[in-house]
Amino acid sequence: MRVMLQLRPASPLRLALEASIGDATPEPALPAGFVLDTSFAPTPIPAPRTAEEGADPFSLTVPRTFATAPDEVTHVVRGTIPDGPDGARAIAEATAHPDVVGVFSDPTIETYLTCGGDPPVGTNRDVARLLRVADLAARRLDGRGVTLAIVDTGVNIAYLQSHGQNPTFNRRKSWKPSGVPTRPGEHPVNHGTMCAYDAGIAAPGATLIDHAVLLSQQHTTPVMAGLLSDAVLAYSKLLRVAAAMPAARRGLVVSNSWGIFRQDMDFPVGHPGNYSDNPRHPFNIIVASLDAAGADILFAAGNCGRECPDGRCAFGAARSICGANSHPSVLSVAGMDTKGKRVGYSSQGPGRLSEQKPDVLAYTHYKGSEVFGRGEADSGTSAACPTLAGLIAAVRSGWSAGAVSPAQLRSLLRRTAKDIGRAGFDYDNGFGAVDAAALVAALRAASPAARAAGSTRRRPKLVPSER
Amino acid sequence: MLTLELAPGEATTATVRRKLGLRSGELDPSFGIVEIDPRKNLYTVLVDEKAAERVIGQPGVKGPHSNPPIEPFGPPE
């Protein structure tokens, strides 16, 4: 294990160490078992002093001064000692050394991960830059000709327009549960409007449709919730939307930033009617069916990450990426901030229906729609999912589902993601951070006969970011 | 929720009620007969729990399946 030794002022050992570092002088005799880190110079530590005689100079509650004179300061050096019984002997040996004040742990320290309630990390402009939106738009990859479904709490188009977006909206292809008084596109500003805004960053040309399953009147607590059967109805409508599109121009992207937070509302795992682990559940069947019909389906991975889970998470030790959020026919989207670091609430895999979840990291926790208040972040894997859905809609402007199937696109997205964390796939980061330029380059290589991607006059070179 | 295999033309409330022997009010008419996999002629319906227990075991009928509440993932609380 790693430790620090604190050495007494002007101790012979410290002086000998200083003399030995950086030249050929042999190291002085160190406590047995301690291996010195020679890259770490002995570092002075001021000595605490109290005005009050007899007071503890290490008390945090008495007034203190700190002496920095060379004959008063202690020094720390660092190194390693063995684990196990040999380590205990080494600590005893070092502690007994006349030049050593004490042996202290030297634990690994890390930057904190972004958590719920933290201020935004970057803005929607940063996200646009990171997703290479200007380059994509110059190639006419902006969502034009693509239908983008927000399956959520409903969308408010007027709010989007008042915040700088001007999406095309199709009310006829939208849907709401029975009894909801507001019309699609005019629902109260909430989570679904945030999702629509975030999707619009990369796909301003997409046609939005609004499937407000979480406004269902079937389930009253909490207010913004629905039943899975509401989602079945929405997906049956989306199946018809997909089927009505000519295969050569099929482009339907479906963003879902919702799921279940607890196992006890579901039938137990192993029960034939269970949802979380059961590909035969009607919703999991219709998800696979919509994928086969040519839709790109994205689900938020969830906010039950081990570092700072949402307080509603009640999975215990069970895997939290479950049901359709873990379906092999969808992209399960984890969240990272605009510094490229996974946010602490982003759920880890493995998934229930498919082990290798989440699939990729996309941007979240940035200042964007401000739906939840001025200066508040668009946060959660809730924001990561539509942010990536926007990118998928953008590239679908160039490559229809007839040219590149949803399964092929998922595969390319995983393959071109920028690997972060442990090498290769891992359960924190999936296959890595989405890389828009690398994805487009891979699409061009895989399907050069793209519909629109080659038709632009101005054709800036898309260079994959450093990997 | 139950899943049903239905032949072409059978996906109507009247046919499903007759086929499964459902009484009035046992089949949720606002949900209807929802196609979930056109390739396999699979549909789903919402029925009350007692009716579900009665019809399970009939040919082409599977379930009952859970219908849990779903919530938005965010903002993290």
Side-chain angles (χ1 to χ4, degrees):
Chain A
M1 67 181 294
R2 293 179 166 276
V3 295
M4 289 185 280
L5 298 188
Q6 188 179 13
L7 306 178
R8 296 186 192 286
S11 69
L13 180 56
R14 195 263 295 177
L15 295 172
L17 284 172
E18 282 186 337
S20 71
I21 286 177
D23 62 25
T25 307
E27 282 183 8
L30 293 162
F34 177 74
V35 178
L36 181 73
D37 178 352
T38 56
S39 70
F40 186 91
T43 302
I45 306 293
R49 299 279 183 262
T50 59
E52 189 182 333
E53 194 173 340
D56 179 4
F58 296 100
S59 168
L60 299 178
T61 57
V62 299
R64 294 183 295 174
T65 58
F66 290 87
T68 55
D71 60 341
E72 292 185 279
V73 297
T74 58
H75 284 74
V76 292
V77 294
R78 77 179 183 192
T80 56
I81 58 171
D83 294 324
D86 289 346
R89 277 193 290 277
I91 290 172
E93 174 91 14
T95 305
H97 194 287
D99 286 356
V100 173
V101 176
V103 182
F104 299 93
S105 66
D106 188 11
T108 302
I109 54 175
E110 298 176 64
T111 55
Y112 286 110
L113 299 179
T114 300
C115 287
D118 286 351
V121 181
T123 69
N124 56 307
R125 289 191 185 87
D126 295 312
V127 173
R129 175 178 51 79
L130 290 162
L131 292 180
R132 314 289 293 267
V133 168
D135 291 346
L136 294 170
R139 290 188 170 279
R140 302 164 62 89
L141 300 175
D142 60 0
R144 69 187 66 188
V146 177
T147 300
L148 205 167
I150 303 296
V151 182
D152 210 275
T153 63
V155 173
N156 188 297
I157 297 296
Y159 183 89
L160 298 177
Q161 289 169 336
S162 70
H163 285 71
Q165 294 190 345
N166 191 25
T168 304
F169 181 67
N170 188 316
R171 182 167 288 121
R172 190 174 53 81
K173 292 179 180 174
S174 298
W175 178 84
K176 64 174 185 172
S178 62
V180 174
T182 44
R183 296 202 306 168
E186 297 174 5
H187 295 306
V189 175
N190 209 304
H191 189 262
T193 301
M194 176 197 80
C195 292
Y197 181 94
D198 296 342
I201 294 172
T207 297
L208 274 184
I209 61 175
D210 178 7
H211 284 240
V213 295
L214 300 176
L215 289 182
S216 170
Q217 308 294 294
Q218 302 293 319
H219 190 75
T220 55
T221 308
V223 175
M224 289 291 175
L227 293 172
L228 198 54
S229 51
D230 296 308
V232 170
L233 287 175
Y235 270 57
S236 71
K237 169 96 176 178
L238 290 170
L239 262 179
R240 294 194 291 276
V241 170
M245 294 174 171
R249 288 191 284 120
R250 190 163 295 165
L252 172 62
V253 181
V254 184
S255 182
N256 304 269
S257 293
W258 52 268
I260 63 173
F261 274 103
R262 48 192 311 130
Q263 192 68 52
D264 59 5
M265 306 298 279
D266 188 8
F267 289 157
V269 176
H271 184 289
N274 161 270
Y275 163 62
S276 63
D277 294 60
N278 181 13
R280 293 182 176 80
H281 188 282
F283 187 64
N284 291 327
I285 292 174
I286 203 167
V287 164
S289 189
L290 186 58
D291 165 65
D296 299 293
I297 307 169
L298 298 89
F299 269 85
N303 297 340
C304 298
R306 77 174 75 86
E307 291 86 353
C308 39
D310 188 306
R312 292 171 290 177
C313 297
F315 289 103
R319 300 173 179 184
S320 66
I321 307 178
C322 62
N325 304 68
S326 67
H327 201 292
S329 297
V330 313
L331 281 166
S332 298
V333 187
M336 63 177 166
D337 61 29
T338 57
K339 293 179 179 171
K341 190 148 187 147
R342 180 185 145 265
V343 292
Y345 48 73
S346 182
S347 293
Q348 283 100 348
R352 306 264 190 111
L353 295 180
S354 175
E355 287 257 333
Q356 283 201 327
K357 296 291 180 181
D359 289 284
V360 290
L361 290 162
Y363 298 105
T364 183
H365 217 97
Y366 53 86
K367 182 168 168 284
S369 70
E370 298 190 305
V371 156
F372 295 107
R374 199 168 184 78
E376 292 292 319
D378 286 1
S379 64
T381 52
S382 278
C385 180
T387 301
L388 180 57
L391 175 64
I392 298 294
V395 299
R396 279 291 181 214
S397 291
W399 291 271
S400 74
V404 177
S405 73
Q408 289 171 318
L409 186 54
R410 286 195 298 276
S411 176
L412 286 176
L413 190 72
R414 293 180 190 121
R415 184 158 62 76
T416 57
K418 185 178 175 186
D419 192 15
I420 61 176
R422 285 168 44 198
F425 175 86
D426 66 71
Y427 292 126
D428 281 2
N429 307 295
F431 289 90
V434 61
D435 186 333
L439 174 64
V440 170
L443 278 163
R444 294 189 73 199
S447 182
R451 175 173 42 156
S455 64
T456 180
R457 285 180 195 163
R458 182 168 162 256
R459 190 178 297 177
K461 190 176 182 184
L462 280 167
V463 180
S465 58
E466 286 185 6
R467 299 176 61 81
Chain B
M1 279 183 278
L2 300 177
T3 53
L4 315 170
E5 269 183 65
L6 296 174
E10 289 186 328
T12 67
T13 304
T15 306
V16 168
R17 280 181 59 186
R18 188 173 61 250
K19 192 173 167 132
L20 300 185
L22 295 171
R23 292 189 278 268
S24 176
E26 289 183 326
L27 182 69
D28 185 338
S30 68
F31 188 81
I33 318 296
V34 179
E35 188 174 43
I36 57 173
D37 190 342
R39 297 163 302 177
K40 296 179 180 171
N41 299 316
L42 273 183
Y43 295 79
T44 190
V45 294
L46 272 181
V47 298
D48 71 30
E49 286 178 37
K50 284 184 180 167
E53 286 169 18
R54 204 173 62 242
V55 303
I56 286 305
Q58 291 190 27
V61 180
K62 295 219 168 67
H65 297 281
S66 65
N67 188 16
I70 52 175
E71 295 179 58
F73 280 163
E77 294 177 4

